[in-house]
Amino acid sequence: MTRITDLTTAPTPRPFGPHVLELDLDAEVRRIAAWFLDVVGKRLRRRGVVVAMSGGIDSSVCAALAVRAFGPGRVLGLLLPERDSSSLSSQLGRRLADHLGIEAVCQDIAPTLEAIGCYQWRDDAIRSVVPEYGPGWKNKIVIAGGTAGVPNHFRLIAQDPAGSTRDIRLPAKAYLQIVAATNHKQRIRKTLEYFHADRLHYAVVGTPNRLEYDQGFFVKNGDGSADVKPIAHLYKTQVYALARHLGLPPEICDARPTTDTYSLPQGQDEFYFGLPYEQMDLALWARNHGVSATELARALGTSEERAADALRDIDNKRRTTAYLHARPVLCESIAELGEFGIA
């Protein structure tokens, strides 16, 4: 009797790397569009949606997905620049609105911010560490520490009118006041989003991707407030892939993510994440799926120590920003509202 040996072997698994973020883009677009229609139309009972469009990749993809779901006639885009906004943001927002065929309303929120003291509170805090700071100066905040294995801290970069810069570690009081003042920007924008949503009987779309949502990169009751958040489950790498799949303008698809909050150019990595989004996406995926620091280091082309620091920083940010996700705490729950999904 002849014995036949089965030489079939299981395929060798691919090493951990960017391929883990690959997505069936057609299926995802269909799924989100169907979800949009179900949630907004049936559960929220609203006629359409409002999207504040910064010209960035996340709000652009959200607007495009909304158009897929509702059609251009039931999507309103808002452009809400202020004194420190890049002119490119409004240009890209208008370009997107034209591309999608949706109505876009533009309102400069600088007068409102001026009236409530946003710029004054911020500048007073900056002058507490840079006394000469004044008209013509520019500024931004950058993060340091967490991905290098030491506690996160923040530094102020202030540039005088001649172009010379100061780089100063911010004491807690000044840092908190600067952030509190600039948070007015996101909260005023959200107020206007809900004004237009109320007058049109629309829902407000929140635009965080998974990295931002998971790591608390949003302002409570500002850009963190919304009725629906269609891409909060998607890594930013996947959002960029969706943008190209949806045929969004190249100047939007190719742009690097910025905060567009401070007067000096600022990437999201230097303000908050510490690493470029491509690396942060892989680190977050690794943390969510139990990938070791050794494997992550190989994928990032860095040391195992730096990879371990990045994983720890993810957990630290989750702990410190849990408050941003928290719902209001009631002294006693209202049982009668339970059937409506209200605690």
Side-chain angles (χ1 to χ4, degrees):
M1 180 176 180
T2 303
R3 176 176 294 176
I4 300 175
T5 303
D6 185 0
L7 298 179
T8 303
T9 58
T12 303
R14 296 171 68 182
F16 170 71
H19 67 88
V20 300
L21 298 173
E22 292 173 359
L23 194 65
D24 184 335
L25 299 172
D26 266 330
E28 190 64 16
V29 169
R30 290 194 301 271
R31 185 171 79 95
I32 294 175
W35 171 87
F36 246 145
L37 286 170
D38 178 64
V39 172
V40 173
K42 296 179 181 178
R43 290 169 55 183
L44 301 180
R45 299 184 181 277
R46 294 297 185 267
R47 299 175 54 249
V49 295
V50 172
V51 186
M53 303 188 310
S54 65
I57 200 71
D58 299 314
S59 60
S60 297
V61 166
C62 285
L65 290 169
V67 169
R68 285 291 181 103
F70 304 105
R74 289 196 289 153
V75 178
L76 176 68
L78 296 183
L79 310 176
L80 302 169
E82 49 91 20
R83 184 183 300 173
D84 296 321
S85 299
S86 166
S87 60
L88 182 60
S89 296
S90 291
Q91 292 171 21
L92 291 177
R94 291 188 183 281
R95 173 80 172 90
L96 178 69
D98 291 343
H99 176 80
L100 297 176
I102 64 174
E103 180 186 359
V105 174
C106 182
Q107 181 171 344
D108 183 358
I109 64 171
T112 302
L113 294 172
E114 181 73 47
I116 61 176
C118 167
Y119 303 118
Q120 184 65 53
W121 280 102
R122 179 202 63 194
D123 292 351
D124 287 348
I126 292 175
R127 276 191 287 270
S128 72
V129 292
V130 184
E132 62 270 33
Y133 186 88
W137 284 64
K138 296 182 178 181
N139 69 85
K140 66 179 176 181
I141 291 177
V142 299
I143 194 171
T147 57
V150 298
N152 279 318
H153 61 276
F154 293 88
R155 306 188 69 84
L156 171 71
I157 309 298
Q159 183 183 82
D160 67 24
S164 297
T165 60
R166 319 284 196 278
D167 182 342
I168 300 170
R169 180 166 178 161
L170 279 169
K173 182 179 179 180
Y175 165 73
L176 290 173
Q177 184 166 318
I178 292 170
V179 171
T182 56
N183 283 352
H184 277 310
K185 300 179 182 185
Q186 285 75 20
R187 291 182 175 130
I188 292 300
R189 289 186 176 112
K190 194 58 61 174
T191 297
L192 289 168
E193 290 172 50
Y194 272 100
F195 162 73
H196 288 285
D198 288 349
R199 73 178 179 84
L200 296 169
H201 202 59
Y202 279 10
V204 170
V205 175
T207 64
N209 58 66
R210 188 182 194 126
L211 182 59
E212 294 171 350
Y213 187 73
D214 183 296
Q215 294 289 278
F217 185 52
F218 57 86
V219 174
K220 189 165 189 171
N221 295 325
D223 54 339
S225 179
D227 298 312
V228 288
K229 296 181 179 180
I231 62 169
H233 63 293
L234 295 175
Y235 294 87
K236 198 170 189 83
T237 302
Q238 296 171 329
V239 178
Y240 270 98
L242 271 182
R244 295 184 174 91
H245 179 74
L246 290 164
L248 297 189
E251 56 268 38
I252 291 175
C253 295
D254 296 338
R256 298 295 297 179
T258 67
T259 64
D260 203 30
T261 298
Y262 295 89
S263 50
L264 282 173
Q266 180 190 56
Q268 291 182 353
D269 52 345
E270 64 175 344
F271 174 66
Y272 191 76
F273 294 114
L275 292 172
Y277 78 85
E278 299 95 336
Q279 295 184 1
M280 278 304 309
D281 275 355
L282 284 178
L284 184 59
W285 196 97
R287 183 68 187 87
N288 291 342
H289 294 84
V291 175
S292 69
T294 302
E295 293 176 278
L296 177 60
R298 188 181 303 115
L300 297 183
T302 189
S303 69
E304 186 172 338
E305 181 181 12
R306 289 297 301 273
D309 290 339
L311 294 174
R312 279 192 293 270
D313 193 49
I314 287 171
D315 289 338
N316 288 337
K317 284 192 171 76
R318 284 173 170 170
R319 279 191 294 270
T320 57
T321 64
Y323 157 78
L324 300 179
H325 293 275
R327 299 172 66 177
V329 180
L330 305 184
C331 180
E332 181 179 331
S333 62
I334 311 300
E336 294 81 1
L337 296 178
E339 65 177 291
F340 302 102
I342 304 171

